[in-house]
Structures are given as structure tokens and as C-alpha cells.
Amino acid sequence: MASKAAHKRLTKEYMGMQREPPPFVWAVPDEKNILIWNFIIRGPPDSPFEGGEYHGVLLFPSEYPFKPPGIKMMTPSGRFQPDRKICFSMSDFHPGSWNPAWSVATILTGLLSFMLSDEITTGSLSSSTAQKRSLAARSHLWNVNQRRFIDAFPDYCGEIMHDLPNMGEKERGKVDPPPEQLAAPLTTEVSTSVGPAEQPRNSTVATASPKSDESGKLPRALSWTDVLWNKWRWGVLILFAVIVSRITSPN
């Protein structure tokens, strides 16, 4: 059972994960036990794991964040032994090097970095690049046939593998489109059952909402006199200046 401190900390970290997920990883706590988290790691581009989807589990102690979690990878990857605890600096194999400031996001980012290395330790495997790529290609199919993955990630169990919330676009130098490209153009929807001389009966026009001024009041509609004055005021001013100059000029 989670301590009060562990429950509070893990709840905060789940909110942080939703607000700002790290690149290529995603994690959710178990609905019945907040000390158990399921995670997904997606293989980054230009790596032997590209296109792969790797399911794993974080097993937090009740003393978290003062003690590190156990970490397992469930999906065959060619890098870690399935369903066996992994030894690396942020796991329960190394409580002496654990930093309570580390979070779920930190742990999973570190695990991804460790996954991309060639270091051999408890729970790891040695395999060829071809073997890793072959397992990556079959990883999603393997996951969607596992009950634990289905229960933890129902939104990721379709035939097509969906992207995680953060697939590292910004980290790879891709930028968001300019705001003007994100804005939807104004459109008009007209009913097709309108006769030649009829006005549309069920037309919908997307218009911009009027903005209020600083006093909170909506601006009044321009009258025809306002329109005429805005259009001709410069001509009137020029004509007035010409008349004044002729009157005041010496003969």
C-alpha cells in the first residue's frame, strides 16, 4: 500500500506526465494500485528500435520517492529480457545512487537512453541490429495480444500503431506551423435544396465573434454616415486646406 507521501508524489507526477510528456515515452498508473505503472517506449528514428513499441512496468516501493522503483520490460526487444528486472542506475538495483528528485519522466527518459546503449547488465540482452529491427516490426502485434497491455492502454490497441503524445518532433528540429496556417478559414455551408431564385434556408456562415473594448461593451455597428465620412474625410480635409491657402495668400 502506498504511503501518503508516495501517493501524493505519484499523483503529481501523473499530472505532469499528461501536461508535458517526455519524448517517445508514455506512462499511466494502475487503476487499482498507484504503485504500479505501465509504460510505453517508442523506438526513436535512426535507431535499431525505430518503429518499435515496447511495453514495460514500473514497480514503486511504498517509500517512494525515497527509494527507487523496480523496472521490467515486457515486450521482446532484443535489448532486455522480457518480464525480468533491469539493472541500471535509476532502478532498485542501485538504491545508493537514487535521487529523490527524479521522477517517472526522468526514469523513463533514462531507461530509453540506456536502451540505446550497448551496456550489458542484469536483465539485458545482446543481439544484432537485424534482430532488434525484426522484433521492432512485430512489437505492436505482440502487445495487442497481451491482456496487461490491453487493460493499461486501450487507446493504443488498434491494428495501426498510434503515436504517443510526444514523438520528439521539437527535439528533432521540427517546428510547429505558423499560426496563420493553424487558423481555420471561414466557410459557408449552403443547403443543396435551394431553388434558383430562393435564398438558402439552412445556410451556416462562420463569422468572427465581435470583440469588446476595454470597457467590456461591444462596438456599435457603423452607420452609412460613418462609412461615408471614413471614406471621404481625407478629401474634405484636402479641399479645406486648398481653400484656406488661397484666402490667406497675397494677390
Side-chain angles (χ1 to χ4, degrees):
M1 181 178 178
S3 65
K4 185 176 181 180
H7 192 280
K8 181 178 180 180
R9 173 67 175 268
L10 289 170
T11 300
K12 181 180 179 180
E13 291 190 21
Y14 180 50
M15 295 173 63
M17 175 69 67
Q18 291 183 308
R19 182 173 59 253
E20 192 174 353
F24 306 111
V25 301
W26 180 245
V28 295
D30 186 275
E31 292 181 354
K32 299 179 181 178
N33 187 352
I34 199 171
L35 294 176
I36 301 175
W37 285 51
N38 289 275
F39 66 82
I40 296 174
I41 289 180
R42 289 292 300 275
D46 303 321
S47 76
F49 308 100
E50 181 175 1
E53 177 185 68
Y54 306 98
H55 171 217
V57 182
L58 298 176
L59 306 170
F60 292 97
S62 59
E63 297 87 357
Y64 182 79
F66 304 105
K67 290 186 178 181
I71 304 172
K72 292 182 178 181
M73 186 77 81
M74 313 304 291
T75 309
S77 63
R79 180 68 177 92
F80 301 118
Q81 299 178 40
D83 200 14
R84 184 174 177 182
K85 282 190 175 181
I86 301 168
C87 172
F88 88 114
S89 59
M90 295 182 179
S91 74
D92 56 0
F93 280 85
H94 296 277
S97 64
W98 170 253
N99 186 340
W102 290 340
S103 64
V104 172
T106 308
I107 296 166
L108 294 179
T109 301
L111 179 61
L112 174 58
S113 178
F114 184 66
M115 184 176 181
L116 297 176
S117 73
D118 296 324
E119 184 179 349
I120 298 298
T121 185
T122 303
S124 64
L125 287 171
S126 179
S127 63
S128 67
T129 298
Q131 289 173 319
K132 291 182 177 70
R133 293 191 185 279
S134 177
L135 289 169
R138 302 197 303 268
S139 59
H140 180 67
L141 180 60
W142 191 93
N143 287 334
V144 298
N145 283 286
Q146 307 303 312
R147 173 49 56 186
R148 187 166 194 166
F149 183 88
I150 295 171
D151 292 342
F153 303 107
D155 294 337
Y156 292 91
C157 291
E159 292 184 10
I160 299 175
M161 185 167 54
H162 296 296
D163 285 346
L164 299 182
N166 183 353
M167 290 302 293
E169 286 84 359
K170 292 182 179 179
E171 289 74 10
R172 299 200 302 275
K174 294 185 179 180
V175 296
D176 296 331
E180 59 268 23
Q181 294 183 15
L182 297 175
L186 298 180
T187 57
T188 304
E189 212 176 284
V190 182
S191 171
T192 56
S193 59
V194 179
E198 292 184 63
Q199 295 293 328
R201 297 177 181 175
N202 298 316
S203 62
T204 303
V205 180
T207 58
S209 300
K211 296 183 179 179
S212 60
D213 58 19
E214 294 181 355
S215 65
K217 298 180 180 180
L218 292 175
R220 64 181 180 84
L222 292 176
S223 66
W224 67 271
T225 54
D226 293 328
V227 174
L228 289 177
W229 171 246
N230 288 334
K231 186 173 182 180
W232 299 106
R233 59 180 177 174
W234 289 111
V236 172
L237 290 174
I238 293 171
L239 179 61
F240 179 76
V242 171
I243 294 173
V244 171
S245 65
R246 289 188 177 183
I247 293 175
T248 57
S249 62
N251 293 330

